[in-house]
Amino acid sequence: MGQDQTKQQIEKGLQLYQSNQTEKALQVWMKVLEKGSDLVGRFRVLGCLVTAHSEMGRYKEMLKFAVVQTDTARELEDADFLLESYLNLARSNEKLCEFHKTISYCKTCLGLPGTRAGAQLGGQVSLSMGNAFLGLSLFQKALESFEKALRYAHNNDDTMLECRVCCSLGSFYAQVKDYEKALFFPCKAAELVNDYGKGWSLKYRAMSQYHMAVAYRLLGHLGSAMECCEESMKIALQHGDRPLQALCLLCFADIHRSRGDLELSQLKLHCLSEVIYRSKGLQRELRAHVVSFHECVEETELYCGLCGESIGEKNSRLQALPCSHIFHLRCLQTNGTRSCPNCRRSSMKPGFV
């Protein structure tokens, strides 16, 4: 199969895939992979297979094709192709929750010199790294990476990337319990979809709606949460996006549980454990649990450097300084600090997020 025929078959597969004929698209692409002799075409079709298997939730197969794509990039001896393949390796490992490997591949991407694709893909690398840091509960590093990704998006007018970063920031603030920001950023993503997303895949709308549903549920706005989750699930079913379907099912369960007993659903595991130990008079276990909890808070830097209280136990408004350290907004307003209490860097310029 020559270069022109390979290109035609890749395009045919894309048309099938966009019309939700996923299995037929995969058959076309696999045929190209088996019979195609053009290395560039082989590289491109492997990228299509990586994306398709990611959206189907077949992450091991996604990783397998990403590895083959990297081998092909090495044969081509092209730094741009190598950068793209390493990014797919990072994404594959991110999906498999191999976060340390994700970070390693992202650093490899950032270390590749003189690539034309660097400006285009650098933001996506930072986003993937941020998601991995978030998976490891390294919140400051996650926030730094998301801010870098936002700067790439703004500097290159990449509204698709900005949309994805906003969704990740929604997850970030949901985890640290600033529910207003957990809603603000997915809403911003939804605005980007409405304003610029006419030719985008519907997955961007589904993604923003899902993160809005999570935030609405956490805020107790269960009707809005259900509406957004239903919209996201509808798109996920249409496009066979199994990972998003699973997330929506979990969100539905959380919404229904919240309707039954909202206060109970918002309790943290450590609070439940503390009550159990205290009620049973298990003082040794209680002390060990409290110590473990505070060690975890200190390790993840989930505490306010001004008041000393932990962040993430309850809904509270937060503010990130330019150094990416996080504080209670009320503490910053009360103290009027001109430098970060944690690292003493200047806090005169407002943070990105």
Side-chain angles (χ1 to χ4, degrees):
M1 187 180 293
Q3 185 176 0
D4 291 340
Q5 192 175 0
T6 297
K7 189 175 180 180
Q8 290 173 1
Q9 290 300 304
I10 292 173
E11 186 61 33
K12 178 182 177 181
L14 285 171
Q15 291 174 358
L16 289 167
Y17 188 72
Q18 289 166 359
S19 62
N20 295 326
Q21 300 182 64
T22 305
E23 291 302 327
K24 289 184 178 180
L26 291 177
Q27 290 173 7
V28 170
W29 288 332
M30 288 303 297
K31 188 175 180 181
V32 173
L33 200 59
E34 291 168 6
K35 298 186 177 181
S37 57
D38 175 48
L39 281 178
V40 174
R42 179 181 176 85
F43 181 89
R44 293 301 178 204
V45 80
L46 284 163
C48 294
L49 289 165
V50 167
T51 300
H53 283 87
S54 172
E55 294 187 355
M56 289 187 292
R58 299 175 183 174
Y59 299 139
K60 290 184 178 179
E61 289 84 354
M62 176 188 180
L63 178 59
K64 180 184 72 174
F65 289 119
V67 170
V68 178
Q69 189 186 43
T70 305
D71 292 338
T72 305
R74 290 196 181 104
E75 287 186 61
L76 287 164
E77 298 182 344
D78 186 291
D80 288 324
F81 287 148
L82 199 58
L83 171 61
E84 186 177 336
S85 64
Y86 274 122
L87 176 57
N88 281 331
L89 279 173
R91 287 172 170 166
S92 302
N93 281 282
E94 177 194 330
K95 297 295 186 182
L96 290 165
C97 298
E98 294 282 357
F99 297 127
H100 289 291
K101 290 183 179 179
T102 301
I103 293 165
S104 177
Y105 283 122
C106 286
K107 288 181 178 178
T108 300
C109 290
L110 296 174
L112 290 173
T115 56
R116 295 187 305 275
Q120 180 182 358
L121 298 181
Q124 297 182 38
V125 173
S126 294
L127 174 59
S128 188
M129 186 178 287
N131 290 333
F133 281 133
L134 186 58
L136 293 169
S137 298
L138 299 174
F139 296 102
Q140 183 186 352
K141 291 184 177 180
L143 192 57
E144 287 175 350
S145 296
F146 292 146
E147 287 179 330
K148 287 179 183 178
L150 267 185
R151 283 194 288 270
Y152 272 105
H154 293 161
N155 292 339
N156 294 280
D157 294 324
D158 190 339
T159 48
M160 278 189 182
L161 175 61
E162 185 179 356
C163 178
R164 292 170 58 198
V165 177
C166 284
C167 288
S168 290
L169 282 166
S171 293
F172 175 89
Y173 281 107
Q175 288 195 34
V176 298
K177 293 287 192 293
D178 185 340
Y179 298 151
E180 290 185 14
K181 285 186 177 176
L183 178 61
F184 170 80
F185 283 104
C187 286
K188 174 64 176 176
E191 287 179 11
L192 290 169
V193 172
N194 290 334
D195 293 342
Y196 303 100
K198 190 172 183 180
W200 296 6
S201 167
L202 281 174
K203 71 178 182 181
Y204 289 95
R205 176 171 176 78
M207 185 169 54
S208 61
Q209 291 294 313
Y210 163 73
H211 287 283
M212 287 170 62
V214 171
Y216 275 130
R217 183 190 69 79
L218 292 169
L219 286 165
H221 303 160
L222 303 183
S224 297
M226 183 64 75
E227 184 179 334
C228 291
C229 198
E230 286 176 346
E231 176 68 17
S232 183
M233 176 62 95
K234 179 181 176 181
I235 298 171
L237 289 170
Q238 287 175 349
H239 288 261
D241 190 335
R242 294 179 63 81
L244 184 55
Q245 291 171 30
L247 290 172
C248 288
L249 286 172
L250 287 172
C251 190
F252 281 134
D254 286 334
I255 292 168
H256 286 297
R257 188 173 70 243
S258 297
R259 283 175 168 171
D261 191 343
L262 181 60
E263 292 182 357
L264 179 61
S265 69
Q266 291 180 331
L267 289 175
K268 297 287 287 182
L269 177 60
H270 75 268
C271 295
L272 286 172
S273 300
E274 186 175 339
V275 170
I276 293 169
Y277 291 142
R278 198 180 299 279
S279 65
K280 291 183 176 295
L282 301 174
Q283 296 302 319
R284 182 186 302 173
E285 290 83 352
L286 176 60
R287 284 194 296 271
H289 178 78
V290 171
V291 169
S292 297
F293 167 67
H294 286 290
E295 286 177 349
C296 180
V297 168
E298 186 173 351
E299 181 181 346
T300 56
E301 297 187 358
L302 274 182
Y303 61 88
C304 176
L306 289 168
C307 68
E309 292 182 5
S310 59
I311 290 172
E313 286 191 85
K314 58 186 178 181
N315 183 21
S316 56
R317 296 186 68 186
L318 306 174
Q319 179 62 52
L321 298 183
C323 55
S324 297
H325 283 121
I326 308 169
F327 300 88
H328 292 123
L329 179 60
R330 67 175 186 273
C331 294
L332 289 173
Q333 290 173 338
T334 301
N335 288 272
T337 180
R338 298 174 68 87
S339 63
C340 174
N342 287 10
C343 64
R344 302 301 176 187
R345 284 176 58 182
S346 172
S347 61
M348 294 302 292
K349 294 181 180 180
F352 236 87
V353 292

